[in-house]
Amino acid sequence: MPTPIIEVKNLTFRYDKRLEKETLANVSFAIDKGEWVAIVGHNGSGKSTLARMLVGLLLPQSGLISIAGRELNDESKWELRRRIGMVFQNPDNQFIGTTVQDDVAFCLENLNMSFDEMKARIDEALELVEMSAFREHDPSRLSGGQKQRVAIAGVLALKPDVLILDEALVMLDPRSRRELLASLQQLRNTQNLTIISITHDMNEAAAADRILMLREGHIEKCGPPQDVFHGEIEWEPPFAERLRRTLLKRNCSVPNSYMTEEEMVQWLWK
């Protein structure tokens, strides 16, 4: 049976304690090690607040968060942050070094790591995101997709158990987004990495094992993509599901259940 790497129980938080409305209200869920969970919701639903709470940037007013069986609080947050890495929407805001390898090395240097171990981790992280050939390049001169790969490499060099992507793919063009999603799937499979993606993009959410929908601080729906997207929802479904519904309306003999992009391609080739 899979072991939860993250457990959230009855989590409640509000920015202004004078207001009755809570940003997150009695939120509970668990995420297994190696699982990919997408958290979606409209602006103000609480998804980015939840992401910041999972890395200890915000602490709950009530409820608890456990990382690998240990409660996240003021005493434990510094140690537990080493187990969770976070990549934000704009990678330029995360760059420190003048070269790609210097930027990946920054957090490792703060840990007083030996030169040999640091070099090995930089080499491994850049190889994992297919950016080894750009190690001497200026990060500011890279493409959007390459910049985001470097930002992810900087987190992977810390060898976290969990990678949180807070709208990290929103600024990428469709091709870069697809390539990075494929790389992340491979990383998850080879490194047993747990991924949490905060996103508005339903195609990105469809790549996850499970989708958690937030509405006004509450969990509205939670389940695998085929369950979440099968019925009518407010958000535009992924491209393959939109295509399936369009074909269905035109009386085509299309399967009557949700299809992934790969399943749709295989069906079209028949």
Side-chain angles (χ1 to χ4, degrees):
M1 186 174 180
T3 302
I5 186 72
I6 294 176
E7 291 184 275
V8 174
K9 296 180 180 179
N10 304 319
L11 196 66
T12 298
F13 179 84
R14 66 171 66 125
Y15 287 98
D16 190 340
K17 295 182 180 179
R18 295 170 298 179
L19 301 177
E20 290 187 11
K21 187 175 181 180
E22 295 157 331
T23 308
L24 292 171
N26 202 34
V27 170
S28 298
F29 62 90
I31 298 176
D32 293 332
K33 186 170 178 58
E35 189 178 15
W36 186 331
V37 173
I39 300 177
V40 303
H42 295 301
N43 290 334
S45 62
K47 57 187 187 299
S48 288
T49 299
L50 177 57
R52 283 158 174 75
M53 296 186 78
L54 292 175
V55 293
L57 294 175
L58 297 170
L59 294 175
Q61 266 106 43
S62 64
L64 62 87
I65 299 171
S66 295
I67 311 294
R70 185 174 180 188
E71 183 177 350
L72 177 65
N73 52 38
D74 268 326
E75 290 73 36
S76 65
K77 66 182 180 182
W78 299 106
E79 181 182 343
L80 290 177
R81 275 179 188 167
R82 295 189 182 187
R83 307 193 71 158
I84 300 182
M86 192 166 182
V87 180
F88 297 94
Q89 179 175 329
N90 190 345
D92 289 315
N93 295 337
Q94 294 180 249
F95 290 149
I96 302 294
T98 56
T99 67
V100 166
Q101 64 180 1
D102 287 345
D103 195 78
V104 177
F106 178 75
C107 289
L108 302 179
E109 289 173 339
N110 290 337
L111 297 177
N112 295 318
M113 191 173 292
S114 70
F115 176 81
D116 289 342
E117 184 178 357
M118 186 163 56
K119 183 179 182 304
R121 287 203 185 195
I122 293 169
D123 291 345
E124 182 183 6
L126 289 176
E127 185 175 347
L128 285 171
V129 297
E130 301 177 349
M131 288 295 291
S132 297
F134 296 85
R135 62 188 310 129
E136 298 290 349
H137 287 228
D138 179 350
S140 67
R141 295 183 177 273
L142 299 175
S143 70
Q146 290 169 335
K147 286 179 179 180
Q148 206 60 286
R149 287 176 185 271
V150 174
I152 291 171
V155 172
L156 293 178
L158 296 169
K159 296 189 178 295
D161 297 308
V162 181
L163 176 64
I164 298 179
L165 307 170
D166 190 4
E167 301 284 3
L169 309 186
V170 71
M171 298 179 69
L172 303 184
D173 60 83
R175 180 179 177 181
S176 296
R177 190 180 297 119
R178 285 195 303 270
E179 290 175 349
L180 197 47
L181 280 171
S183 295
L184 288 168
Q185 285 284 18
Q186 185 175 7
L187 277 173
R188 185 183 70 126
N189 294 334
T190 58
Q191 305 291 314
N192 200 26
L193 184 67
T194 304
I195 298 177
I196 301 173
S197 56
I198 314 297
T199 183
H200 283 92
D201 183 355
M202 294 301 107
N203 289 299
E204 180 183 338
D209 300 310
R210 192 156 46 105
I211 297 173
L212 191 156
M213 284 188 170
L214 286 178
R215 179 189 290 275
E216 297 182 350
H218 296 83
I219 296 178
E220 181 180 42
K221 189 178 287 189
C222 184
Q226 60 265 32
D227 292 349
V228 171
F229 292 128
H230 180 68
E232 294 295 330
I233 58 172
E234 291 184 28
W235 291 276
E236 186 176 63
F239 172 75
E241 176 63 8
R242 296 201 309 272
L243 177 58
R244 187 190 71 82
R245 293 183 186 186
T246 300
L247 292 173
L248 199 61
K249 288 178 181 178
R250 295 184 180 183
N251 298 317
C252 294
S253 182
V254 65
N256 197 32
S257 59
Y258 172 83
M259 300 171 72
T260 65
E261 191 170 308
E262 183 179 350
E263 288 169 344
M264 175 59 76
V265 169
Q266 291 177 350
W267 178 81
L268 288 171
W269 274 105
K270 288 181 179 180

